[in-house]
Amino acid sequence: MAERERVIEVRDLKTAFGKTVIHEDLDLDVYRGEILGIVGASGGGKSVLLNTMLGLQRPVSGSVIVDGQDIFNSPDRQWLASNMGVMFQNGALFSSLTLQENVEAPFLEHTEIRGKFLSRLAQMKISLVGLANDAAYKRSAELSGGMRKRAGVARALALDPKLLFLDEPTAGLDPLAAAEFDDLIVSLRDALELTVVMVTHDLDSLFQISDRVAVLADKRIVASDAVEKLRDSEDEWTRSYFQSRRARRFNSGGD
């Protein structure tokens, strides 16, 4: 069997805020084409890890290699912007702009595309995430929670990145909307050949769409495997998390 291609390699990562160490000796691989879930205790540094992988948080030491490039020593910031898209919690839309203007923003910042072609590209991205045409002219406050999440994905995919990062993508959604959002992510991954990294507490998402889950505890990745295998992990925190009462219904195949 051919070895899987690593698209992200995090090695010996240490991050800190002042004297408070968030991560230490952290290693993580992300393989091309997978949906990787990242879980851990609240306040354990999941979002900091996401921001570091995006190049937004510089580590104290260690490296983050994306497609062979050390992102903290690469002079090509444009490459990073066009190859990594991110949907932050609640979509993080610009409240003063319409949805279409939000999706146009990455083009305006990173390309020379303007005019009617820009509008058509933005509308195509909005349609890609399953939003109706009239949603394009609404501002963030006029969108439902599920629509804001989809809008955030549309903006994240504006420049056709091959890496999509999601921070708590289904938080605040009702079960039906969350399931529909999960289905959207899988369909986009398959259609666009994306690699997806998502930080989530949503067990439904972890069990339904993740190919693998990385567990962040004690400042490092303590386990990384297919979700159904983590209930028997040698790590105590991981075993407890995936053997919890809420997780048992997935482990047993129940509804």
Side-chain angles (χ1 to χ4, degrees):
M1 184 176 178
E3 184 178 354
R4 291 180 295 176
E5 180 186 359
R6 295 180 179 91
V7 64
I8 302 176
E9 299 174 69
V10 181
R11 294 291 180 268
D12 298 321
L13 191 73
K14 179 178 181 179
T15 61
F17 296 111
K19 294 182 179 180
T20 302
V21 176
I22 310 299
H23 307 123
E24 194 163 25
D25 299 324
L26 187 152
D27 294 331
L28 176 65
D29 290 323
V30 181
Y31 297 102
R32 191 173 302 279
E34 75 173 344
I35 298 178
L36 175 72
I38 298 177
V39 303
S42 296
K46 299 183 298 299
S47 292
V48 175
L49 175 58
L50 198 72
N51 288 338
T52 305
M53 294 167 72
L54 285 162
L56 301 175
Q57 170 71 39
R58 180 172 286 275
V60 174
S61 59
S63 63
V64 178
I65 309 297
V66 178
D67 267 343
Q69 292 200 44
D70 184 335
I71 65 172
F72 293 105
N73 292 298
S74 171
D76 192 355
R77 305 303 294 180
Q78 178 64 32
W79 181 89
L80 293 177
S82 61
N83 280 275
M84 298 194 290
V86 57
M87 188 207 81
F88 294 104
Q89 291 188 44
N90 300 317
L93 302 176
F94 299 115
S95 59
S96 62
L97 302 182
T98 65
L99 167 53
Q100 180 165 321
E101 290 168 337
N102 267 280
V103 178
E104 289 174 351
F107 292 107
L108 294 173
E109 182 176 359
H110 297 288
T111 77
E112 300 300 321
I113 298 172
R114 300 293 186 271
K116 291 183 178 180
F117 188 49
L118 173 60
S119 297
R120 289 172 184 167
L121 280 174
Q123 290 164 6
M124 182 183 71
K125 300 298 180 180
I126 292 168
S127 176
L128 184 67
V129 298
L131 290 173
N133 292 337
D134 61 352
Y137 308 105
K138 296 181 178 180
R139 287 179 167 76
S140 178
E142 300 174 281
L143 302 174
S144 69
M147 293 172 72
R148 282 195 296 273
K149 302 274 190 181
R150 288 172 183 262
V153 173
R155 188 176 62 186
L157 295 177
L159 301 180
D160 297 325
K162 288 302 181 183
L163 285 164
L164 177 61
F165 294 82
L166 307 171
D167 193 2
E168 298 289 358
T170 56
L173 298 182
D174 64 72
L176 179 59
E180 290 175 346
F181 190 88
D182 284 343
D183 290 342
L184 171 68
I185 296 305
V186 172
S187 66
L188 290 172
R189 187 274 303 267
D190 294 343
L192 303 178
E193 299 182 342
L194 297 171
T195 301
V196 180
V197 179
M198 64 175 185
V199 168
T200 184
H201 287 100
D202 190 334
L203 284 167
D204 291 272
S205 293
L206 290 172
F207 277 86
Q208 296 299 327
I209 72 169
S210 65
D211 298 299
R212 199 164 52 94
V213 175
V215 182
L216 177 57
D218 299 325
K219 303 177 184 178
R220 60 190 179 87
I221 300 298
V222 296
S224 176
D225 211 332
V227 64
E228 62 272 10
K229 296 182 180 180
L230 292 174
R231 64 190 304 268
D232 298 317
S233 172
E234 295 180 359
D235 177 70
E236 182 179 355
W237 192 94
T238 303
R239 195 167 57 250
S240 298
Y241 187 88
F242 287 98
Q243 289 185 5
S244 67
R245 185 173 63 181
R246 292 186 64 207
R248 279 188 208 127
R249 66 187 180 96
F250 296 100
N251 291 320
S252 64
D255 295 323

